């Protein structure tokens, strides 16, 4: 019997690529997608993506969504309390590992390992590499058929004009040299709406672009919806 694994799901391309990698390897069974949701706004924490679109991703991936509602504002203590409750639920359901789509930030990896230490849940980092790997990784994602839209941009690192753009070869060519092609340093975040992990695309359109809490967010809506 394969180990049962949960995957941390931000709704972005790196999470999607991690799911793709885990399924290709075939040595574990991904049994759910864990997403932190802002209770006040019904959106993915940091990415700003509507909860209904994340549910559509989970449905298209054929996996249950494990939402973790977070208050707004949310202290680190409260975040860790709610994540501990998730881990306890996971253990009760036979989950033995928790996978993350982190690419190369050592402090983030160390934090995740610390939080899972002694819980009986093993942290996995299936797409872990180094900063020099990300230009090729970004091109590989696009070449494999993954399609994503930039939903959040840090204007201190990247022009707000990038909010709402597609993550494609043209975008990679336009990125400043000091911006990581995968946005791993927080320059931008994405919503993955198509790719080989899904049995159908999630059609979206870009609504309003707003600045909030020092970030620029492009509001993605289901394509048939009206803003």
């Amino acid at each position: 019997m394969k180990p049962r694994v949960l995957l941390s799901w931000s709704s972005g391309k790196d999470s999607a690529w991690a799911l793709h990698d885990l399924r290709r390897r075939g040595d574990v069974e991904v049994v759910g997608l864990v997403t932190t949701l802002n209770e006040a706004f019904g959106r993915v924490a940091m990415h700003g993506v509507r909860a209904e679109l994340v549910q559509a991703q989970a449905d298209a991936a054929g996996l249950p969504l494990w939402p973790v509602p977070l208050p707004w504002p949310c202290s680190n203590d409260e975040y860790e309390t709610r994540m501990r409750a998730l881990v306890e639920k996971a253990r009760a359901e036979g989950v033995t590992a928790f996978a993350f789509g982190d690419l190369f930030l050592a402090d983030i990896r160390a934090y995740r390992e610390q939080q899972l230490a002694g819980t009986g849940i093993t942290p996995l980092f299936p797409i872990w590499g180094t900063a020099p790997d990300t230009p090729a990784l970004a091109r590989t994602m696009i070449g494999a058929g993954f399609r994503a839209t930039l939903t959040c941009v840090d204007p201190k690192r990247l022009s707000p004009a990038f909010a709402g753009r597609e993550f494609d070869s043209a975008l990679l060519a336009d990125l400043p040299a000091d911006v990581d092609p995968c946005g791993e340093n927080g320059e931008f975040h994405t919503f993955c709406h198509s790719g080989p992990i899904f049995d159908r695309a999630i059609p979206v359109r870009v609504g309003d672009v707003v600045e909030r809490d020092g970030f620029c967010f492009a509001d993605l809506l289901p394509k048939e919806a009206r803003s």
Side-chain angles (χ1 to χ4, degrees), residues 23 56-62 195-202:
R23 284 178 164 174
Q57 287 179 315
D59 293 343
I197 59 168
F198 298 133
D199 64 13
R200 59 189 177 277
I202 299 103

Side-chain angles (χ1 to χ4, degrees), residues 81-92:
T81 295
R82 299 200 179 197
M83 290 304 293
R84 280 195 297 271
L86 172 94
V87 168
E88 290 171 7
K89 176 188 174 187
R91 286 189 61 193

